[in-house]
Amino acid sequence: MDIFDKLEQTGKDLVASVKSLTDTSAIKIKIVEKEKQIEKMYALIGKKYISLVGENLAPELASEINELKNQIKKLDELKQKINSNNNVVVCPKCKMPCEKYVIYCPHCGNKM
């Protein structure tokens, strides 16, 4: 095999390697996207389950769901602190922020 044949083969090998890397990268991106979709679906299923069962929690999930509710409560308290510092209240009906001194919610018309 002469030098030109070797160069041609090296070029072909390089092209094949780059194509393989490109294909692998594209597949990895699709995997990450699918994993994100699956996580979102798990979260959606969890939210639906909690809303459907209410207080009738499956014993196997009770501690996790109660911890989730505690974390949501703490998050709401932190949001209330920020709103309080900014003279903002949250409408109890539509949950939208309103100025502290309004009589009716500008979003849904609920009496504050």
Side-chain angles (χ1 to χ4, degrees), residues 68-79:
L68 174 64
K69 288 180 179 182
N70 287 335
Q71 294 300 323
I72 291 170
K73 183 179 177 184
K74 289 177 184 178
L75 176 64
D76 288 343
E77 289 170 358
L78 291 171
K79 287 179 179 179

Side-chain angles (χ1 to χ4, degrees), residues 57-67:
L57 305 175
E60 303 85 10
L61 300 174
S63 69
E64 289 87 356
I65 293 173
N66 286 329
E67 178 60 26

Side-chain angles (χ1 to χ4, degrees), residues 83-91 97-106 110-112:
N83 288 339
S84 175
N85 290 344
N86 294 328
N87 289 323
V88 173
V89 295
V90 175
C91 173
C98 306
E99 290 184 24
K100 194 173 191 173
Y101 305 106
V102 298
I103 298 172
Y104 294 95
C105 173
N110 184 56
K111 187 169 183 175
M112 298 296 283

Side-chain angles (χ1 to χ4, degrees), residues 1 24 56 76 87:
M1 194 184 262
T24 300
N56 302 319
D76 288 343
N87 289 323

Side-chain angles (χ1 to χ4, degrees), residues 10 13 31 60-62 80 93 101:
T10 302
D13 292 345
I31 288 171
E60 303 85 10
L61 300 174
Q80 286 175 356
K93 183 176 179 185
Y101 305 106

Side-chain angles (χ1 to χ4, degrees), residues 2-67:
D2 69 344
I3 187 79
F4 295 110
D5 291 338
K6 287 181 182 178
L7 282 174
E8 182 181 356
Q9 186 58 44
T10 302
K12 287 179 181 179
D13 292 345
L14 182 61
V15 168
S17 293
V18 169
K19 183 179 180 333
S20 176
L21 284 173
T22 303
D23 292 346
T24 300
S25 295
I27 292 169
K28 286 181 178 180
I29 289 170
K30 288 179 182 179
I31 288 171
V32 168
E33 290 171 354
K34 289 295 176 195
E35 288 173 340
K36 286 180 183 179
Q37 288 175 339
I38 290 168
E39 287 300 316
K40 285 180 183 179
M41 291 178 78
Y42 271 125
L44 179 62
I45 290 167
K47 284 181 181 181
K48 283 186 178 182
Y49 171 79
I50 292 170
S51 69
L52 288 172
V53 299
E55 297 301 318
N56 302 319
L57 305 175
E60 303 85 10
L61 300 174
S63 69
E64 289 87 356
I65 293 173
N66 286 329
E67 178 60 26

